[in-house]
Amino acid sequence: MIDDLDLGFDEQERGEKGKHRRGAVLRRQGKSGGGRGKTIFALLMAFVLLGGIGGGAYVGFDRIRNYLVTPDYDGPGTGEALVEVKTGESLTDIGNTLYDAGVVKSTKAFIEAADANPLSKNIQVGRYKVRKEMKAADAITLMLDPKSRVVNGVTIPEGTITLNVYQILSKQTKIPVKEFQAAAKDPVKLGVPAFWFTRGDGKKGPKSLEGFLYPSTYEIPPKATAEQILSLMVDQFLAVTKQLDFVDRAKNDRKISPYEALITASIAEAESVNAVDLPKVSRVIYNRIYAGKIGCNCLGIDSGINYYLRLQGKDPKDSDDLLQSEINDLKNPYNTHNVAGLPPTPISNPGEAALKGALEPPPGDWIFFMTVDQKGTMGYGSNDADFLKLRRQMCDNKVLTGENCT
């Protein structure tokens, strides 16, 4: 929603733009005895003088009227124009866009019409089909009509891995998956700051775009390239993590690098069925990796194995279908059963709840989490006895079958 009173700019960012925002316009017009009053008086005097100049007075009157009357079209407009409202734009910015497109006769007319219509603050970011040479008030009414908004949205669910993101985007845009894969080879070029790939645990891995494609609903601009679309998603990730103060809180509160916290959030997103479990799963991860709660400091999660299978073009498997050779495969860089520490990269693209959960895990000494029923309910344990109890629940509820339940 766009609100001209607060669109995310601070005073320095607004600069000259801020002087033309609605509040400033009202304050400027409300002054008494200032320059504007003197100008109007002078114009009126000129009008009186022009009254004795015969036909030339009509020319003079037209010029004077432009100062006294805001230029505005009278009719509903004709033809069609496509305009875009961008994030962070003020009503003045929108008015300028409409003026440049030939929709309204003046930016001032749009601003005054917006002031007269309290709903104008509900104009949303997006593209709109409007008409040229419209009365400014009619233009606002049209932009408030959902039918005027051009929707080309695509939704990326939380926990979607990059390969699946490319497939979703390709289906929506008709851009081949290979173009998204090629664009993703350099995350820094797409806008990911290089410091994000710095780790404090000594591990090194590839600079992967995994984790940085923020799950949300996006309106894809027309003729956008694969690189531009992925950059749009990275920008959203950076905006959300900035709002959460993710970088500093990971360093100061969790005492780990932001990338390690992001990997943790991605694992929690992949493992949790219900959002309520995201912070608890993060706590288990921290207990196993950093708190020395278990001897190997390893996670022992199957989602890492399945992530690697997907990267190889293979289907993921249920836990009781995984072979021992797959569980113990040391060639798998995402093997967390036999290798200490976090995997080399995130294993999904986490949403805001998962990111927040990685920053704010609840206190607890759990070292196990298991999905204990078909509804996705999580159980947590702190010792071997808890583990056996949770596994029995899984077997009783048919979540786990086979030799693991004998």
Side-chain angles (χ1 to χ4, degrees):
M1 182 190 305
I2 295 181
D3 188 340
D4 197 43
L5 299 179
D6 184 6
L7 291 172
F9 292 104
D10 60 27
E11 290 302 326
Q12 287 185 324
E13 287 174 327
R14 284 196 284 263
E16 289 299 314
K17 180 186 296 184
K19 295 179 181 179
H20 300 289
R21 294 166 69 87
R22 180 167 29 165
V25 171
L26 288 176
R27 286 193 294 274
R28 186 168 58 246
Q29 292 174 342
K31 290 181 179 180
S32 60
R36 179 171 172 79
K38 293 178 181 179
T39 300
I40 292 175
F41 176 76
L43 290 170
L44 290 173
M45 289 300 297
F47 175 67
V48 172
L49 292 174
L50 284 169
I53 309 179
Y58 290 103
V59 177
F61 176 74
D62 285 341
R63 292 178 178 175
I64 292 172
R65 185 174 58 180
N66 287 335
Y67 288 97
L68 302 179
V69 180
T70 300
D72 195 3
Y73 292 118
D74 295 328
T78 60
E80 186 176 281
L82 186 65
V83 296
E84 182 178 5
V85 176
K86 299 178 181 178
T87 302
E89 286 192 329
S90 67
L91 288 173
T92 299
D93 296 324
I94 300 172
N96 288 337
T97 298
L98 295 173
Y99 173 76
D100 292 340
V103 177
V104 296
K105 199 168 187 178
S106 67
T107 299
K108 184 181 179 183
F110 179 82
I111 293 174
E112 290 181 355
D115 286 341
N117 187 342
L119 295 179
S120 63
K121 64 182 180 180
N122 294 330
I123 296 176
Q124 299 182 12
V125 171
R127 292 179 296 130
Y128 294 85
K129 284 184 179 180
V130 291
R131 295 184 291 274
K132 291 191 175 182
E133 299 186 359
M134 297 186 68
K135 185 176 179 65
D138 292 341
I140 290 177
T141 300
L142 193 59
M143 295 180 76
L144 290 171
D145 184 350
K147 295 180 181 178
S148 300
R149 194 161 181 259
V150 180
V151 178
N152 186 27
V154 56
T155 299
I156 306 299
E158 290 87 349
T160 307
I161 67 171
T162 52
L163 288 180
N164 289 348
V165 171
Y166 305 151
Q167 292 171 359
I168 295 172
L169 293 174
S170 178
K171 183 177 180 180
Q172 178 73 18
T173 64
K174 309 306 179 186
I175 298 174
V177 170
K178 290 183 178 180
E179 292 190 25
F180 288 104
Q181 292 175 319
K185 289 183 178 180
D186 189 351
V188 175
K189 186 177 179 180
L190 294 174
V192 179
F195 76 81
W196 269 96
F197 297 103
T198 302
R199 299 180 63 142
D201 59 3
K203 282 195 172 186
K204 293 183 179 180
K207 289 183 177 180
S208 170
L209 193 58
E210 195 75 67
F212 296 101
L213 297 179
Y214 187 76
S216 184
T217 297
Y218 295 90
E219 186 170 330
I220 307 299
K223 299 181 180 180
T225 65
E227 183 174 303
Q228 290 171 334
I229 295 171
L230 296 181
S231 293
L232 182 69
M233 299 180 70
V234 169
D235 288 345
Q236 186 63 20
F237 168 85
L238 295 176
V240 172
T241 51
K242 181 179 180 180
Q243 184 180 18
L244 294 175
D245 196 18
F246 193 89
V247 172
D248 287 341
R249 292 178 68 188
K251 293 178 181 178
N252 299 328
D253 299 345
R254 302 271 61 86
K255 310 300 181 184
I256 59 177
S257 71
Y259 197 55
E260 291 167 81
L262 175 60
I263 294 173
T264 298
S266 78
I267 295 172
E269 191 76 85
E271 291 282 350
S272 302
V273 176
N274 301 310
V276 67
D277 291 298
L278 293 167
K280 289 185 177 181
V281 171
S282 290
R283 170 55 66 193
V284 173
I285 294 170
Y286 291 144
N287 284 346
R288 293 180 72 93
I289 299 298
Y290 300 106
K293 296 288 185 179
I294 59 173
C296 68
N297 290 338
C298 52
L299 285 176
I301 57 170
D302 295 338
S303 55
I305 298 173
N306 277 320
Y307 177 73
Y308 186 66
L309 291 176
R310 288 175 174 175
L311 293 183
Q312 307 306 305
K314 301 177 181 179
D315 292 331
K317 296 183 176 181
D318 290 335
S319 295
D320 51 354
D321 291 332
L322 285 171
L323 303 175
Q324 283 300 314
S325 59
E326 292 171 323
I327 294 174
N328 298 316
D329 182 10
L330 295 179
K331 294 181 180 179
N332 179 350
Y334 293 88
N335 181 335
T336 62
H337 287 271
N338 307 95
V339 179
L342 295 169
T345 72
I347 64 171
S348 77
N349 289 287
E352 183 175 358
L355 293 169
K356 190 174 181 180
L359 295 175
E360 303 173 359
D365 59 356
W366 313 295
I367 56 175
F368 303 114
F369 59 80
M370 298 183 187
T371 304
V372 298
D373 61 26
Q374 300 293 339
K375 296 179 180 179
T377 304
M378 284 279 198
Y380 300 87
S382 306
N383 49 52
D384 290 343
D386 289 341
F387 176 83
L388 294 175
K389 182 179 179 180
L390 291 172
R391 191 172 70 173
R392 174 47 54 192
Q393 283 183 264
M394 295 177 70
C395 292
D396 291 343
N397 294 324
K398 307 301 181 184
V399 176
L400 194 62
T401 60
E403 63 182 17
N404 291 313
C405 294
T406 56

